[in-house]
Amino acid sequence: MREGDAKRWALPPNRAEEGFEDKKPLYTPAEALAEANRCLYCSGAPCIQACPTGIDVPTFIRKIGTGNLKGAARTILSANLLGQSCAQVCPVEVLCAGSCVYTGWGREPIAIGRLQRYAVENTLASHPAIFQAKPPTGKRIALVGSGPASIAAAGLLALEGHTCLIYERKALPGGLNTLGIAPYKLKGQEALRELEWVLSLGRIEVRTGIEVVETATGPGQVSTTELLASHDAVFLGLGLGADARLGIPGEQGEGVQGATHLIERLKTEPGLTLEGVRRALVIGGGNTALDIAHELALLGVEVAMVYRRSEQEMGGYVHELDAARLDGVRLLENRQPVEILREDGRVVAMRLAFLAEGKPLPGAGETLPTDLVAVAIGQERATQVARAFAGVVLDERGRVKVDPLTHRTGNPKVWSGGDCVNGGKEVVNAVAEAKLAVRDIQRYLAGE
Amino acid sequence: MADLSIDFCGIRSPNPFWLASAPPTNTGDQVMRAFDAGWGGAVWKTLGNPIVNVTSRFGGIDYGNTRLMGLNNVELITDRPLEVNFREMREVKKRFPKHTLVASLMVETKEEWREIIQRSEDAGADLLELNFGCPHGMCERGMGSAVGAEPKVLEEIARWAVAFARVPVIVKLTPNVGDILEPGEAAVRAGVPALSLINTVKSIMGVDLDRMVPLPRVGDASTNGGYCGPAVKPIALHLLSQLARHPQCGKLAISGIGGISNWRDAAEFIALGATSVQVCTAVMHHGFRIVEDMLEGLSDFLDEKGMSSVAELRGRAVPAYREWGELDLSYKLVADINPDTCIGCQLCYVACMDGSHQCIHLPGRTEEQSRQAGHTHLPQHVPERAVTAAAGTPGARVPFVDEEECVGCNLCQLVCPVPGCITMEEVSTGRPPESWNDRIAQGKSYVPGGLEATEAARRRNR
Ligand SMILES: Cc1cc2nc3c(=O)[nH]c(=O)nc-3n(C[C@H](O)[C@H](O)[C@H](O)COP(=O)(O)OP(=O)(O)OC[C@H]3O[C@@H](n4cnc5c(N)ncnc54)[C@H](O)[C@@H]3O)c2cc1C
Ligand SMILES: Cc1cc2nc3c(=O)[nH]c(=O)nc-3n(C[C@H](O)[C@H](O)[C@H](O)COP(=O)(O)O)c2cc1C
Ligand code: SF4
Ligand code: SF4
Ligand code: SF4
């Protein structure tokens, strides 16, 4: 990869994100060795089956145990090119570690994510050249969006010798990996560092600030027809769109923010302070709600989450709720936002209705003082553009429809994966889907 | 409460736990602190003519998360002046008259032996231990294991020692010999009343792969050292049992050494014929304090077994040692996996598959899949039980044993991480007990492949 590109995306200093401590810091060699030696090296291990990308966990852990760190990283990365970010952001409690035989045994499962990070981070720092791309094939593949799905797909395609062109409408590449992940798991700069490593695998060009649209009207845009015409295949890694809105009085204006937008600001905006914000209410019960609530709490804000159903029905992970609570987040169940109250334009409080089994209790409610409302009730779809590729269809929930085995869309030259297909899962799912798509793109390009 | 005191060829000791001759017995201060901690005796760091030690001098072997599973050293005998050692021994004996003080000795000439024995006894030694075991440094000078491996020389020097000494003499044996009975018998011929074993096993601890120098490294070079610690216990037990079963050697008092780290190890040595036990590595690793557990553990163990003294335990397991040819060929065990405690790690499966007789199967497979996985024989009976382990996580499968084919080797039981999950069940073969020796006695001789093969071979040869 061209040297110049590699350093293009340095984040500015003095961002709120930098002040967060790593919740699972890089292991020291002694820690890694002790943990690796705890692994039983199961045969047909359930942890492998639980990893969406099928990383051979026992094998890489054994390699750490024998001091074969480079081999461990090779095992990880050949199954999952984004092994670094996955190691840090995967909800291992419900994936690999959640299925570790120790978990069933009632014991502490192997810290698979942390071991994975140890192997990959140290190897990429010292021996980044562990893969060798095949000779150029002359094929050009366009990837729309530069989130984990596209980055993983581009890396794998580049290793096969194809040229990859990534189109990203934002100024920073990486999608939510750079802009959305909680800073105590993965910082923007770390996501970019991994991305740069993927770019170094072969002929990958990232064109930031370019939006793929149905009909291009200006320089920052490229049309779907043009894209199809000038490439041998297209991969859509569109992700999800803007934060959904509450649709209640008082929502317009300062002091009410979409959760992913606010997270992105914490991660990228220099000098952003939450001055004057003593209390915040986070609306929603999913993982995004938990993330922003946890982040605000770590920034010293008094945070309560407002969720319309009960704790048992929450979509967010139990382990994330537990962790957020430890850092001070409170959960208010069975409540629905009714109105945001302002004084001189400033948010001062929020009116909530009480619910029972999802239905409002007439006349019951409360008004809670707050300085900030973060809305985390889901994201819109960024998938409209997909329809502009002839043959590509969306399902009733706005997700790009693909053949689940090949991730090919209705257009024989277009594949898709990641949040825009699965409706919003994890980074590791985006990688797994990208792998399926790449396998089929390979077949297609080989004329099979 | 059982009586822990022992009688070691006429010398009484408050308990069987002695420090072996090694760094823990370098000085009087150490030995006195050890006696305060509860040790019953100490074999002083070997005395002899002046030497100089090198650095580094120890190497360690870790296994998994276990530090120092084995230790090795290229240390020689004491590097402190003899006068100082004797002065301190005298003081120890004065302050701890009831404890057992053993002087370990290694010199070259007859005159030197006479002199050092004299001085040791004057210093208060209750026993003398002749170090015929040190496998490095001293043997090149014709001492240590060079003597231990040469029965004639051993016998001669031991004879001198017995003649010069007023107190009982112990011969400390080296394991670096082809047959431990040869030096053992030589010691018997020399008239010594006691043996101790093992000294360290010749070893190289590893290789520094960056400098390409074996370990432990002394500058740019290394040499073989002596291996000890938990890893050598099985070797020591074997050699001990051979001596204990021998008609003459078995009559001597034996001090068992090698990898003893706790009361259970000690009990095993005593059950195989030791009267006292000596400890070095475990003390170098954890300090004198480990003796508290040893005393308590052994005492409680004896009580539980209804034994009132250490002497009652001594040699209890010796008669159960047999030659291979005396073992019962009709005895049969079959592995049994408890599906309620299995966590589905499938370690037993892979171990049996690749490392034994392919008798453990995974549930839910078709015959085709089993064959593809490498099974050449398929089970007659597939037990009806859940595929997913009750104590496991989703996807964790409980393997099952093909009982007809299981050879009872117990590899699966050894690899299973869940205690008690795999048990070896006795099954009746319906055959009367029969050993290999019985078969030979009956003229059913030995052609691999069983009796039919033997018959066929006989017919061919006729
Ligand atoms: C707040 C938050 C926290 C999360 N935390 C975790 C976590 O801890 N662990 C975890 O595993 N997962 C987490 N996730 C989920 C994870 O981030 C996503 O599953 C993953 O990023 C999906 O990757 P993707 O490539 O499909 O989409 P994205 O990462 O969303 O990337 C899509 C990219 O496409 C671009 N794009 C869209 N349309 C166009 C267009 N027309 N033209 C050009 N570019 C376009 C977008 O700008 C974006 O950069 C989190 C998600 C959120 C919202
Ligand atoms: C560093 C070191 C020095 C030793 N020095 C002597 C010695 O001077 N004389 C001797 O007879 N044995 C010596 N030994 C051997 C021990 O007495 C003992 O026989 C051996 O270590 C086995 O016991 P263990 O497994 O409890 O360590 C030494 C052992 C070590 C580790
Ligand atoms: S990628 Fe994620 S799920 Fe897979 S093994 Fe690594 S940490 Fe676990
Ligand atoms: S299930 Fe747990 S113990 Fe078994 S191989 Fe996987 S991480 Fe190791
Ligand atoms: S080794 Fe033990 S726990 Fe593992 S699958 Fe076999 S029986 Fe079950």
Side-chain angles (χ1 to χ4, degrees), chain A residues 38-42 45-48 57-58 61 96 99-102 110 112, chain B residues 345:
Chain A
R38 247 177 18 96
C39 172
L40 296 171
Y41 194 25
C42 298
C47 54
I48 309 179
V57 175
I61 295 183
C96 50
S99 74
C100 172
V101 294
Y102 277 107
I110 303 299
I112 300 170
Chain B
C345 64

Side-chain angles (χ1 to χ4, degrees), chain B residues 406-427:
Chain B
C406 174
V407 299
C409 70
N410 86 336
L411 180 65
C412 55
Q413 189 190 34
L414 296 178
V415 301
C416 179
V418 182
C421 178
I422 298 185
T423 46
M424 301 302 297
E425 303 294 337
E426 272 185 34
V427 291

Side-chain angles (χ1 to χ4, degrees), chain A residues 238-249:
Chain A
L238 302 168
L240 301 175
D243 295 292
R245 305 185 62 84
L246 287 168
I248 56 169

Side-chain angles (χ1 to χ4, degrees), chain B residues 245 321-329 434-437:
Chain B
R245 292 179 63 223
Y321 178 99
R322 308 279 165 77
E323 297 303 339
W324 190 91
E326 297 166 41
L327 302 179
D328 181 8
L329 298 173
E434 184 187 31
S435 73
W436 190 250
N437 293 351

